[in-house]
């Protein structure tokens, strides 16, 4: 029973002092309300139990605060650990900050903090704080952010480890929240101002309750269930369909006369493993038999899910993220593709059209503002439409940040798909306050919020200009208290939406609704136009780069690492390749925030689309999982775009 990270990347952790975020907000913020505090100072276990047969007892051997902690001994599996029932303590829709101090009795490992929730006997494991290195030599704080999004009949907070069964200590566990303020009534509704197309928000169960529901219905005219219509939610086991997550969201939309975007029928993520297992339960290989089985499952899935909602869902993201522009044919090497080729896309659209004849059928992808990506998507759409595949629309996700992309690139994206007989939709827009994965702010800096407001202003002006092409614009979330960017690509508090953590209108809201009210003093053009000219060639930037290499966690045979490139030169780095040599046979198994190749001991990491640009003084980071035997020394030399860097 391992905790399932919903995305592998969610296991990466940057210690983000979330309590500080709460404390550092607007002056009218009340103190966070603490709803749980376990310090074990009364010499009892304060309701904590083991997840299995391990032993929990108060200890005075070590303590983080006071004289007592909770000792957990006799663990026989990594998932064993201390667990606290919080059913009735955590309310749906409220964003909690959870903090726990952990220390091992022996050795070193990674610990994580999670929530287990169950609805009608089905368990879901949600990572609050991913793998974080812990040892026996000191206390480590696990702190993260959690919003319960479903009605549950079982709810616990627990701590487990990644690889060993060492005894551990727990102390000073707290959970707190900052109460939302009343929904503002004296400001215009976004949907009343932007009338060219429906404006939507992606939602979870948390967003249809009380204040969140009021805010949603007041400002938005469309919803997209953020997770509830994905395959793992609707058909967790074969042919056993479940609509318990999505139905309440769709009912809310109906009750408020809102449109619904169905997201998504086919994706490579959040799809249960059984889908890609053959009749004997083995992982499918690319055989004709497996292809037939997979396409039959796909057809059965779409027939059930699309039929369940009929006309209520006006638009479907039929396929999601099928493009990989780095492949020669532009196609992502998902199991779908390797087993069926393009037939999964053909089948998905054909069956969706048959079952939902009046729904608009979209192909949805991210980074379509990047030329190579949009060109690959364009080629595919033209090819498939040429064959008669019923593609009605192209969805642009638009997960962007305060300094990327430029309006020009975004306009090029929209123009590319004009005149080929498709509508276009902005399907998942959010504007991260971070410009690289190495950043983490205790509270959103004022200048970033201002840049964000100007970016929203300029993007919405562009979208409205393209009203004949664009048929909807959806934001990936309602308010900053509940955003997927709090855990992706690393754990840190982000603030990418129009309303803040207390549901109040941000400058970003005014950027959309009335830019004259944005306020602040920094120059709009600094954010509205790209700070980087695309013509700057790849270089390490007038002779300056510095690299930090850190092992952030280590266990028998494996380790987690992080590399950060700092641009200490005077020119912008536009696209980077970082190289190093391992000296003890280590290998990189998996890397995030970039892509990796390894040849012998030589490792090359290439930037991801969103962190290729490093301004002078700026930095970019990538994290990875590696393996080692014997010893694991850090590399001593690094190059960026071929030039040697200072090692920090
Ligand atoms: C995200 C959800 O918001 C998260 O809650 C979940 O853990 C992972 O998926 N592109 C997509 C969406 O198409 O489905 C993703 O949604 C965000 C990126």
């Amino acid at each position: 029973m391992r905790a399932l990270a919903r995305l592998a990347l969610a296991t990466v952790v940057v210690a983000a002092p979330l309590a500080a975020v709460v404390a550092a907000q607007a002056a009218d913020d009340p103190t966070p309300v603490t709803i749980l505090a376990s310090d074990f100072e009364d010499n009892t276990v304060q309701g904590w139990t083991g997840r299995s047969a391990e032993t929990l007892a108060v200890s005075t051997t070590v303590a983080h605060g006071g004289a007592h902690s909770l000792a957990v001994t006799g663990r026989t599996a990594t998932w064993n650990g201390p667990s606290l029932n919080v059913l009735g303590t955590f309310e749906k829709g409220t964003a909690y900050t959870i903090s726990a101090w952990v220390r091992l009795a022996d050795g070193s490992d990674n610990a994580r903090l999670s929530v287990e929730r169950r609805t009608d006997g089905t368990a879901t494991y949600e990572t609050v704080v991913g793998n974080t290195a812990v040892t026996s030599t000191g206390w480590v704080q696990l702190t993260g952010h959690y919003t319960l999004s479903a009605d549950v009949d079982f709810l616990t907070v627990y701590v487990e480890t990644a690889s060993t069964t060492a005894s551990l200590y727990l102390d000073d566990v707290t959970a707190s929240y900052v109460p939302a303020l009343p929904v503002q009534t004296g400001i215009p509704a976004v949907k009343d101002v932007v009338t060219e197309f429906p404006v939507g928000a992606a939602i979870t169960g948390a967003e249809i309750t009380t204040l969140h529901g009021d805010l949603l219905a007041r400002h938005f005219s469309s919803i997209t269930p953020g997770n509830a219509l994905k395959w793992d939610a609707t058909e967790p086991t074969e042919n056993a369909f479940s609509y318990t997550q999505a139905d309440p969201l769709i009912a809310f939309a109906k009750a408020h006369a809102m449109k619904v975007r169905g997201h998504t029928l086919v994706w490579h993520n959040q799809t249960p493993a059984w889908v890609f297992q053959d009749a004997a339960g083995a992982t499918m290989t690319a055989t004709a038999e497996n292809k037939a089985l997979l396409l039959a499952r796909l057809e059965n899935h779409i027939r059930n899910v699309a039929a369940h909602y009929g006309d209520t869902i006006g638009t479907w993201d039929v396929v999601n993220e099928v493009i990989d522009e780095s492949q020669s044919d532009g196609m992502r090497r998902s199991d779908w593709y390797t087993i069926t080729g393009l037939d999964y896309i053909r089948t998905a659209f054909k069956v969706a059209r048959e079952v939902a004849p009046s729904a608009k059928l979209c192909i949805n992808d991210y980074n379509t503002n990047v030329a190579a990506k949009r060109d690959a998507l364009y080629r595919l759409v033209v090819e498939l439409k040429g064959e008669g595949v019923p593609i009605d629309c192209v969805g642009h996700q638009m997960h962007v940040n305060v300094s990327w992309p430029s309006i020009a690139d975004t306009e090029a994206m929209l123009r590319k798909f004009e005149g080929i007989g498709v509508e276009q939709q902005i399907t998942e827009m959010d504007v991260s306050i971070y410009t690289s994965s190495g950043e983490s702010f205790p509270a959103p800096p004022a200048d970033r919020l201002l840049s964000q407001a100007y970016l929203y202003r300029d993007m919405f002006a562009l979208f409205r200009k393209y009203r004949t092409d664009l048929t909807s614009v959806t934001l990936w979330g309602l308010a900053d208290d509940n955003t997927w960017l709090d855990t992706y690509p690393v754990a840190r508090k982000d603030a990418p939406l129009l309303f803040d953590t207390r549901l109040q209108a941000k400058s970003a809201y005014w950027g959309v609704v009335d830019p004259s009210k944005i306020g602040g003093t920094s120059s709009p053009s600094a954010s509205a136009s790209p700070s980087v000219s695309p013509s700057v060639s790849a270089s390490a930037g007038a002779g300056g780069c510095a690299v930090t290499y850190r092992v952030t966690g280590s266990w028998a045979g494996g380790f987690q690492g992080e590399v950060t490139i700092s641009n200490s030169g005077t020119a912008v780095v536009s696209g980077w390749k970082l190289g190093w040599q391992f000296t003890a046979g280590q290998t990189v198994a998996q890397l995030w925030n970039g892509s990796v190749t390894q040849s012998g001991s030589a490792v090359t990491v290439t930037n991801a689309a969103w962190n290729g640009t490093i301004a002078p003084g700026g930095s970019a980071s990538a994290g990875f999982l590696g393996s080692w035997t014997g010893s694991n020394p850090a590399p001593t030399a690094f190059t960026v775009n071929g030039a040697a860097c200072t090692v920090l």
Side-chain angles (χ1 to χ4, degrees):
M1 195 165 26
R2 280 187 66 240
L4 301 177
R6 309 214 57 166
L7 280 178
L9 297 188
T11 59
V12 182
V13 166
V14 168
L18 293 184
V21 173
V22 167
Q25 281 175 352
D28 64 345
D29 255 5
T31 313
V33 177
T34 300
I35 50 147
L36 180 168
S38 300
D39 61 5
F40 312 109
E41 292 307 316
D42 63 357
N43 209 15
T44 76
V45 298
Q46 297 181 344
W48 288 80
T49 57
R51 302 188 75 210
S52 180
E54 63 274 45
T55 305
L56 271 61
V58 175
S59 166
T60 51
T61 309
V62 288
H64 171 257
H68 302 81
S69 66
L70 182 72
V72 184
T73 55
R75 299 172 66 230
T76 55
T78 57
W79 60 267
N80 291 182
S83 165
L84 183 70
N85 177 7
V86 289
L87 187 66
T89 305
F90 284 12
E91 270 180 15
K92 189 164 92 169
T94 299
Y96 295 100
T97 298
I98 310 177
S99 165
W101 290 85
V102 178
R103 170 176 185 148
L104 295 186
D106 305 291
S108 60
D109 199 345
N110 281 288
R112 50 182 179 251
L113 176 74
S114 307
V115 167
E116 177 178 351
R117 63 172 162 91
R118 292 186 205 157
T119 305
D120 299 333
T122 303
T124 304
Y125 304 92
E126 294 171 307
T127 307
V128 181
V129 184
N131 281 346
T132 306
V134 285
T135 67
S136 56
T137 56
W139 289 95
V140 172
Q141 185 180 25
L142 305 183
T143 182
H145 174 86
Y146 180 72
T147 304
L148 175 64
S149 61
D151 290 321
V152 289
D153 42 46
F154 176 99
L155 190 68
T156 60
V157 173
Y158 64 93
V159 172
E160 64 187 331
T161 56
S163 16
T164 73
T165 55
S167 296
L168 58 86
Y169 297 100
L170 181 74
D171 204 359
D172 294 334
V173 183
T174 58
S176 61
Y177 71 100
V178 178
L181 293 170
V183 170
Q184 292 157 295
T185 51
I187 59 172
V190 174
K191 65 180 182 188
D192 294 341
V193 174
V194 182
T195 53
E196 291 83 351
F197 33 72
V199 184
I203 57 167
T204 66
E207 269 88 27
I208 57 168
T209 57
T210 54
L211 290 179
H212 291 82
D214 292 349
L215 186 72
L216 178 66
R218 171 174 286 270
H219 288 282
F220 295 95
S221 47
S222 173
I223 62 146
T224 303
N227 287 311
L229 286 171
K230 290 173 182 170
W231 197 309
D232 60 355
T234 54
E235 194 185 2
T237 52
E238 183 155 21
N239 219 17
F241 290 89
S242 165
Y243 301 104
T244 50
Q245 283 187 53
D247 279 355
L249 310 184
I250 312 289
F252 182 95
K254 254 192 183 162
H256 294 88
M258 301 166 93
K259 294 186 184 305
V260 181
R261 296 193 81 261
H263 176 86
T264 170
L265 293 170
V266 188
W267 195 22
H268 58 278
N269 279 335
Q270 291 174 267
T271 302
W274 66 260
V275 177
F276 305 108
Q277 283 163 2
D278 65 18
T283 304
M284 282 184 177
T285 51
T287 64
E289 203 185 342
N290 286 337
K291 175 172 174 175
L293 178 59
L294 187 55
L295 291 178
R297 283 176 178 160
L298 175 64
E299 173 160 357
N300 186 51
H301 181 78
I302 296 177
R303 278 195 192 286
N304 274 276
V305 178
H308 180 78
Y309 292 106
D311 285 345
T312 326
I313 295 189
T315 303
W316 274 104
D317 286 332
V318 177
V319 297
N320 191 34
E321 302 183 352
V322 304
I323 298 296
D324 176 355
E325 69 279 25
S326 72
Q327 301 291 343
S328 55
D329 62 0
M331 297 306 300
R332 177 189 290 277
R333 296 302 188 256
S334 64
D335 289 341
W336 290 111
Y337 183 79
T338 52
I339 297 163
T340 78
L342 291 180
D343 282 344
Y344 78 99
I345 304 179
R346 297 184 177 107
T347 300
F349 276 95
K350 189 181 91 272
V351 176
R353 172 64 93 231
E354 210 183 294
V355 189
S358 48
K360 295 285 179 197
L361 304 182
C362 298
I363 183 168
N364 190 47
D365 220 315
Y366 62 95
N367 282 3
T368 47
N369 48 282
V370 174
K373 180 96 179 216
R374 70 169 168 261
D375 290 350
L377 177 62
Y378 174 88
R379 283 193 292 272
L380 178 70
V381 172
V382 169
E383 176 188 338
L384 292 179
K385 280 186 72 74
E387 291 176 8
V389 177
I391 301 177
D392 304 317
C393 106
V394 168
H396 306 285
Q397 292 187 4
M398 286 293 286
H399 293 292
V400 301
N401 72 48
V402 290
S403 67
W404 181 88
S406 67
I407 300 301
D409 279 344
T410 312
E411 181 155 18
M413 165 188 98
L414 296 174
R415 295 190 68 165
K416 180 82 192 179
F417 294 92
E418 284 183 315
I420 58 163
V422 286
E423 293 178 9
Q424 299 187 61
Q425 303 195 348
I426 304 298
T427 57
E428 305 184 15
M429 183 172 184
D430 46 22
V431 181
S432 174
I433 60 169
Y434 296 106
T435 60
S436 80
S437 59
E439 292 180 330
S440 179
F441 303 129
D447 62 330
R448 295 288 170 107
L449 293 177
L450 214 47
S451 300
Q452 180 183 62
Y454 291 119
L455 191 95
Y456 268 115
R457 175 194 68 179
D458 295 347
M459 288 294 180
F460 267 76
L462 177 73
F463 299 156
R464 296 170 84 170
K465 178 171 145 196
Y466 278 81
R467 59 183 161 275
T468 48
D469 299 87
L470 274 178
T471 51
S472 104
V473 173
T474 291
L475 303 179
W476 204 245
L478 173 66
D480 288 345
D481 66 331
N482 191 11
T483 160
W484 76 301
L485 295 177
D486 284 349
T487 52
Y488 184 90
V490 293
R492 60 187 173 189
K493 186 71 196 113
D494 209 331
L497 299 163
L498 304 186
F499 299 94
D500 69 15
T501 54
R502 304 183 70 203
L503 312 188
Q504 306 301 291
K506 296 163 61 186
S507 283
Y509 159 90
W510 290 111
V512 173
V513 166
D514 181 357
S516 73
K517 296 204 169 68
I518 287 177
T521 50
S522 63
S523 153
S525 58
S527 60
S529 54
S531 52
V532 180
S533 149
S535 65
V536 174
S537 63
S539 83
C545 55
V547 172
T548 318
Y549 176 101
R550 284 194 317 131
V551 172
T552 53
S554 183
W555 53 96
F559 70 107
Q560 183 173 331
E562 188 186 62
V563 275
T564 301
I565 306 174
S566 304
N567 181 356
S568 47
T570 52
V572 168
V573 173
S574 186
W576 48 263
K577 274 193 193 300
L578 167 68
W580 74 78
Q581 301 266 349
F582 277 128
T583 54
Q586 301 102 314
T587 53
V588 174
Q590 188 193 343
L591 182 131
W592 48 94
N593 301 331
S595 55
V596 67
T597 56
Q598 182 164 358
S599 164
S601 58
V603 177
T604 306
V605 178
T606 306
N607 63 273
W610 63 88
N611 65 0
T613 300
I614 316 177
S619 64
S621 296
F624 61 91
L625 295 177
S627 60
W628 61 282
T629 42
S631 66
N632 186 14
T636 51
F638 297 87
T639 57
V640 167
N641 297 335
C645 301
T646 310
V647 184
L648 295 178

